[in-house]
Amino acid sequence: MAYQPTIGLEVHVELNTKTKMFCGCKNDPNEHRPNINICPTCTAQPGSLPVINKEAVRKVIKTGLALNCQIPEYSKFDRKNYFYPDLPKGYQISQLYQPFCREGFLIISGKKIRIREVHLEEDTGSLVHPENAEYSLVDFNRAGIPLMELATEPDMHSAEEARQFAEELHLIMHYLNVSDADMEKGEMRVEVNISLSKNPPAGGGKLGTKVEIKNLNSFRAVEKGIEYETERQTKILNSGKKVVQETRGWNDIKGETFSQREKEEAHDYKYFPEPDLPPLHHSSAIVDEIRAEIPELPQQRRKRFYKEYQLDEKNIEIFVYNKDLGEYFEKVISELPPNLPKENLLQLIKLTSNYIITDLQGLLKSAPLDRAREARYLTGLITPENFAEFITLIFEEKISSKIAKMVLSEMFKTGADPSHIIEEKDLSQITDESEIEKIIKEVISKNQKVVEDYKKGKTNAFQYLIGQVMAATRGKVNPGMTSKLLTKLLKDV
Ligand SMILES: [Zn+2]
C-alpha cells in the first residue's frame, strides 16, 4: 500500500550579527583558531550576566515580517535545561512561551505553507574529536552566536515541496541580509519531521508516528532524506509493524537515515522563564520601522522582472537566485539608449540578458573568484555603461557575435570600453559591399574544387566557403550579407 508523507520543517539559521547574542564577543564563523572569540559570559563564568543583542532581535523580527508573521507586542526568553559538554551554562537561552514571531506563511509553487513561529536562541560551542585521541576538545567560538529557529506547520507532502521551501527560505535570508546561511558551514541547518498516513489528514486520514531527521546540510540531503524515510516507513507499515518515534541522523555518503535516540519532549527540558533577562516590548512604531527596511523579496522580484522585462522563467530564476547578477542586469538596462521604440528596447533587453547569463557568467566561472570578488568584477571592472554600449554595438550589427565574444573577453580582462577595444584591435565590421565582394572573389578563386562541389549540390561546400571568408576577415563581415553576396557571386562562376 502507498502512504503519503506529511512533512514539517525546523530550520536553524546563524544570524550574521557583528557580535554574539548575549555578550560583546565577535560573531565570526570563519575564525578557525579555537577559543578566540570568548569571554566570561559566553563561557558561563560565575557572576557574568547576559545582555540582549538588539541587532539580532531586529533581524529575527525582520525575517518574521518577510514571512508574513504576527509580531506579538511582548516576548521573552526561556531557559532550556540540559547538559552537554559544548553548553557551558548547563542550559540554553531560548524561547518557548512567547517567541518573537508567530503564524506566518510562505507561498511555494502557489501553495501556502504555514509558519508556526520564528524565535531566537543562542548557539552552542562545538566539539572537536582529534583522530586516534581518547579525548575530545571543546571550542567555544560558536557558543552564544545568535541562532534563529523557524518551525513550519506540517503542510508539505512531498520531498520536492520541502526542498523548494528550504531553497526559498535560504534565498530570503540572503535578500534580507540576516544570515549568510551557508549550509556547508552549518550556518543553516534543516530538520525534517515526517509521518506517513494512508490519506492526508485533510481527507480524514490519521497521521502516523512522527520521526525527526537531523543533520541535513544540503538541499539535496533534505530531498533524499525524505524520500529514504518515506520508503523505509512504508516497508515497516506494509509488514504490519509499527514505526518508532525517534530522532534519526542522515548519512550523506550511504544516502540513509539511522537511529540516533528516542525523541524527548519539551517538558524533559524543564523550561522556565529566563530570570536574567527582561521581557521585550515591541511597539508598533518599532515594528513599522523594521518593516520599512525590508527590501524587494525574491517573489516580488520574479513578478517585476516578468512584467518589466518579459524574460522567460528560466532567465528570471537565474537573476533572482543570483541577486548580484540580477542587480547588474538592471543597471545595464538603465544605461541603454533612451527613447527607443518599445519593440527595439525589448530586443535589447533580451540581448543583454542572454549575454550576461551565457557569456559574462561563462567568463566569471572560468576565473577563480569568490563571491565578493565576483560582485566587484560586475560593478567595477565592466561598468554597466560599457556593457550597455557593448550590447548596442551588437544590436546595431556593428560587430558580429564572433567579434562580440572577443570584445567581451577583452573588457573582462582590462575593463576598457568596447569602442576603444574595437578601434585598437581593428575589429569593426566591414560594411562596404565592394570590399566584401573582393574578398569573396579571392576565396572563390583559391577554392575551385569546393566551388565545383557546390555546383554539384553539396550544401556543406557553401558553409566551407563562408568559413573561409570569415577566416580571411577575422570574423569582421556580417554573416547575412556575406551569405547573400556569396550566393550571387557563385552564380556568375
Ligand atoms: Zn562572549
Side-chain angles (χ1 to χ4, degrees), residues 450 453-466:
V450 185
D453 286 348
Y454 170 74
K455 295 274 178 191
K456 283 178 200 155
K458 283 198 182 168
T459 43
N460 52 1
F462 186 80
Q463 281 314 315
Y464 178 82
L465 293 171
I466 292 273

Side-chain angles (χ1 to χ4, degrees), residues 33-48:
R33 295 167 299 168
N35 296 309
I36 293 290
N37 297 321
I38 57 169
C39 75
T41 301
C42 55
T43 54
Q45 304 305 313
S48 63

Side-chain angles (χ1 to χ4, degrees), residues 45-260:
Q45 304 305 313
S48 63
L49 283 170
V51 177
I52 297 169
N53 182 336
K54 193 172 157 189
E55 192 195 355
V57 175
R58 288 179 75 99
K59 286 193 170 191
V60 172
I61 292 177
K62 193 186 270 189
T63 306
L65 289 170
L67 299 172
N68 311 293
C69 287
Q70 309 291 325
I71 311 299
E73 201 179 344
Y74 289 94
S75 58
K76 60 181 186 57
F77 288 98
D78 303 295
R79 274 189 192 182
K80 180 182 182 180
N81 297 283
Y82 68 95
F83 171 79
Y84 205 69
D86 64 10
L87 187 72
K89 291 198 290 283
Y91 60 85
Q92 181 187 29
I93 303 180
S94 180
Q95 295 189 295
L96 179 70
Y97 303 106
Q98 287 175 261
F100 289 142
C101 324
R102 285 182 192 274
E103 292 167 22
F105 64 88
L106 188 57
I107 307 280
I108 300 294
S109 299
K111 188 180 153 185
K112 195 179 202 177
I113 310 292
R114 290 171 300 155
I115 288 157
R116 184 184 305 150
E117 65 168 69
V118 186
H119 75 239
L120 184 55
E121 56 191 34
E122 55 181 336
D123 210 345
T124 60
S126 43
L127 291 181
V128 182
H129 310 288
E131 228 175 299
N132 301 324
E134 291 179 345
Y135 52 83
S136 291
L137 299 167
V138 61
D139 175 8
F140 290 116
N141 281 341
R142 202 179 71 178
I145 284 181
L147 193 62
M148 177 166 70
E149 184 180 326
L150 175 150
T152 75
E153 296 291 351
D155 285 350
M156 287 161 273
H157 294 289
S158 74
E160 198 198 343
E161 219 168 63
R163 177 184 50 77
Q164 281 181 359
F165 179 91
E167 281 179 347
E168 187 69 5
L169 190 67
H170 181 259
L171 207 50
I172 292 172
M173 299 301 146
H174 270 277
Y175 274 63
L176 293 174
N177 186 27
V178 297
S179 172
D180 296 336
D182 186 331
M183 289 187 84
E184 270 177 36
K185 287 187 192 162
E187 292 167 5
M188 175 167 161
R189 303 163 223 158
V190 179
E191 288 162 36
V192 166
N193 290 306
I194 173 169
S195 55
L196 299 196
S197 56
K198 283 179 197 163
N199 295 302
K206 197 168 159 285
L207 272 185
T209 308
K210 193 165 80 177
V211 170
E212 187 176 295
I213 323 172
K214 275 188 184 287
N215 310 330
L216 297 163
N217 55 9
S218 71
F219 299 120
R220 199 188 132 272
V222 171
E223 192 168 1
K224 296 285 161 204
I226 293 170
E227 281 169 4
Y228 179 85
E229 203 48 35
T230 307
E231 228 180 276
R232 186 187 72 88
Q233 294 182 27
T234 299
K235 272 186 202 154
I236 293 174
L237 293 171
N238 280 341
S239 68
K241 291 185 194 134
K242 278 184 178 164
V243 174
V244 180
Q245 181 179 347
E246 62 180 348
T247 298
R248 298 179 72 86
W250 171 248
N251 184 324
D252 206 35
I253 295 158
K254 287 188 184 165
E256 290 173 6
T257 65
F258 57 91
S259 180
Q260 276 187 320

Side-chain angles (χ1 to χ4, degrees), residues 188-354:
M188 175 167 161
R189 303 163 223 158
V190 179
E191 288 162 36
V192 166
N193 290 306
I194 173 169
S195 55
L196 299 196
S197 56
K198 283 179 197 163
N199 295 302
K206 197 168 159 285
L207 272 185
T209 308
K210 193 165 80 177
V211 170
E212 187 176 295
I213 323 172
K214 275 188 184 287
N215 310 330
L216 297 163
N217 55 9
S218 71
F219 299 120
R220 199 188 132 272
V222 171
E223 192 168 1
K224 296 285 161 204
I226 293 170
E227 281 169 4
Y228 179 85
E229 203 48 35
T230 307
E231 228 180 276
R232 186 187 72 88
Q233 294 182 27
T234 299
K235 272 186 202 154
I236 293 174
L237 293 171
N238 280 341
S239 68
K241 291 185 194 134
K242 278 184 178 164
V243 174
V244 180
Q245 181 179 347
E246 62 180 348
T247 298
R248 298 179 72 86
W250 171 248
N251 184 324
D252 206 35
I253 295 158
K254 287 188 184 165
E256 290 173 6
T257 65
F258 57 91
S259 180
Q260 276 187 320
R261 58 170 192 269
E262 290 195 6
K263 175 78 183 164
E264 54 293 269
E265 301 291 340
H267 61 249
D268 295 331
Y269 289 108
K270 314 270 184 301
Y271 275 96
F272 64 83
E274 170 57 54
D276 289 339
L277 293 170
L280 291 177
H281 176 232
H282 315 290
S283 70
S284 58
I286 289 174
V287 173
D288 287 345
E289 188 189 301
I290 298 171
R291 197 191 306 273
E293 288 172 8
I294 296 176
E296 182 183 51
L297 294 170
Q299 196 48 23
Q300 295 163 321
R301 181 164 289 188
R302 282 185 192 104
K303 283 187 187 147
R304 188 170 61 78
F305 270 42
Y306 180 73
K307 198 166 155 248
E308 281 181 28
Y309 308 125
Q310 300 185 12
L311 300 177
D312 64 41
E313 211 177 303
K314 202 174 133 216
N315 286 7
I316 291 176
E317 210 44 50
I318 291 169
F319 284 140
V320 170
Y321 179 76
N322 195 332
K323 188 165 166 270
D324 296 337
L325 206 65
E327 274 155 20
Y328 182 70
F329 164 76
E330 293 212 275
K331 281 183 194 152
V332 174
I333 298 299
S334 71
E335 297 291 341
L336 289 173
N339 307 324
L340 284 167
K342 185 153 190 236
E343 198 189 307
N344 289 4
L345 180 64
L346 285 176
Q347 280 177 319
L348 274 165
I349 288 172
K350 201 164 175 227
L351 262 182
T352 307
S353 157
N354 289 345

